[in-house]
Amino acid sequence: MKKEGILFVISAPSGAGKTSLCKEVVDIFKNLRHSVSYTTRKARPGELHGRDYFFIPPEEFQRMVSAGEFAEWAEVHGNFYGTALKTLHEYRTNGVDVILDIDCQGARQLKEHYSGGVFIFILPPSYGELRRRLDCRNSDACDVIERRLENAAGEIRESRWYDYIIVNDVFSKAVEELKAVLVAERCRTSRVIETVADMFELEKGVS
Ligand code: 5GP
């Protein structure tokens, strides 16, 4: 039987750089895929349906909620976002690790249902730097930026229950730290013992 893929869940306040970090590790690691979420938010310039998100109307999102098609979903900054159960299932049953870039509400829902999931929080180096990064993005209106900054304080308080915290001050350093977490988790005894037991004719299970 194929080993089940690992679920890596990444959260951060908007502007901490988690989308870039996720893209970077997905490019580096074979056998790691980004889970494309569904959202009712409008696409920003340069975003592609099916690559960045599945952009769907609110009625379709509601239908998916009612049909139990989401592993988790949440309202974030006035829009709805969700991870399809189908996406996670397809990757993981094929032994592919999957990385989710989702907010804290969604991460909490997954924490309750996926005991083997790995939860990683990305922090900006300071509030000042977070504001600077959001200002530079220029892709959102001022009121949207203010709303995101207000939400950041609450999100940062959530970091305490995650398994790992990475401060994204220097991007290349944050990438190295994230890579280290992924590699270490892939080597966790509970994940490799079955394979090792077969190789060396050991008893299965951890003691
Ligand atoms: P953005 O609109 O800037 O792409 O994302 C806004 C927030 O929604 C980010 O914190 C992002 O991580 C979160 N998000 C994206 N996809 C999902 C999802 O499928 N579920 C949840 N709960 N949050 C998501």
Side-chain angles (χ1 to χ4, degrees):
M1 216 178 72
K2 248 193 184 137
K3 205 159 61 134
E4 197 176 52
I6 307 170
L7 189 72
F8 292 104
V9 179
I10 311 232
S11 304
S14 187
K18 74 175 174 317
T19 308
S20 311
L21 278 169
C22 289
K23 281 201 177 116
E24 190 80 11
V25 289
V26 167
D27 285 347
I28 295 170
F29 284 80
K30 281 194 191 138
N31 212 42
L32 176 69
R33 299 282 187 284
H34 171 242
S35 155
V36 179
S37 296
Y38 289 75
T39 184
T40 59
R41 158 164 92 57
K42 297 271 173 288
R44 296 189 185 122
E47 284 185 329
L48 277 185
H49 180 81
R51 184 193 67 186
D52 299 290
Y53 282 105
F54 293 106
F55 297 97
I56 58 171
E59 306 76 52
E60 173 60 4
F61 195 95
Q62 188 50 54
R63 188 204 62 73
M64 291 179 74
V65 170
S66 305
E69 292 180 19
F70 286 123
E72 63 75 33
W73 66 271
E75 186 177 353
V76 190
H77 311 311
N79 292 300
F80 291 95
Y81 296 81
T83 306
L85 272 169
K86 190 165 73 99
T87 310
L88 299 190
H89 184 75
E90 277 173 9
Y91 284 137
R92 299 187 70 222
T93 51
N94 284 309
V96 176
D97 296 341
V98 53
I99 194 159
L100 276 66
D101 164 348
I102 66 172
D103 89 312
C104 303
Q105 305 170 72
R108 264 192 193 278
Q109 293 169 41
L110 295 179
K111 179 94 176 163
E112 279 165 28
H113 295 107
Y114 294 86
S115 54
V118 181
F119 294 80
I120 305 162
F121 201 93
I122 312 292
L123 281 174
S126 65
Y127 279 120
E129 176 60 16
L130 190 64
R131 173 179 283 280
R132 197 190 64 76
R133 288 181 192 174
L134 287 174
D135 282 348
C136 288
R137 259 204 220 177
N138 269 337
S139 56
D140 290 309
C142 285
D143 60 326
V144 175
I145 292 173
E146 286 309 321
R147 192 166 350 138
R148 285 174 184 230
L149 279 169
E150 275 165 27
N151 288 342
E155 287 166 338
I156 288 170
R157 264 197 300 278
E158 294 275 324
S159 60
R160 60 177 58 249
W161 63 262
Y162 281 69
D163 300 313
Y164 298 92
I165 293 179
I166 294 173
V167 177
N168 182 13
D169 186 358
V170 177
F171 184 72
S172 56
K173 184 165 165 278
V175 170
E176 286 309 312
E177 291 178 0
L178 183 54
K179 279 164 65 182
V181 169
L182 302 191
V183 171
E185 285 294 338
R186 283 180 168 181
C187 296
R188 192 175 276 282
T189 303
S190 58
R191 301 192 205 281
V192 294
I193 192 66
E194 298 246 332
T195 314
V196 170
D198 285 341
M199 284 161 61
F200 297 99
E201 295 172 11
L202 303 176
E203 272 176 44
K204 301 232 166 154
V206 277
S207 55

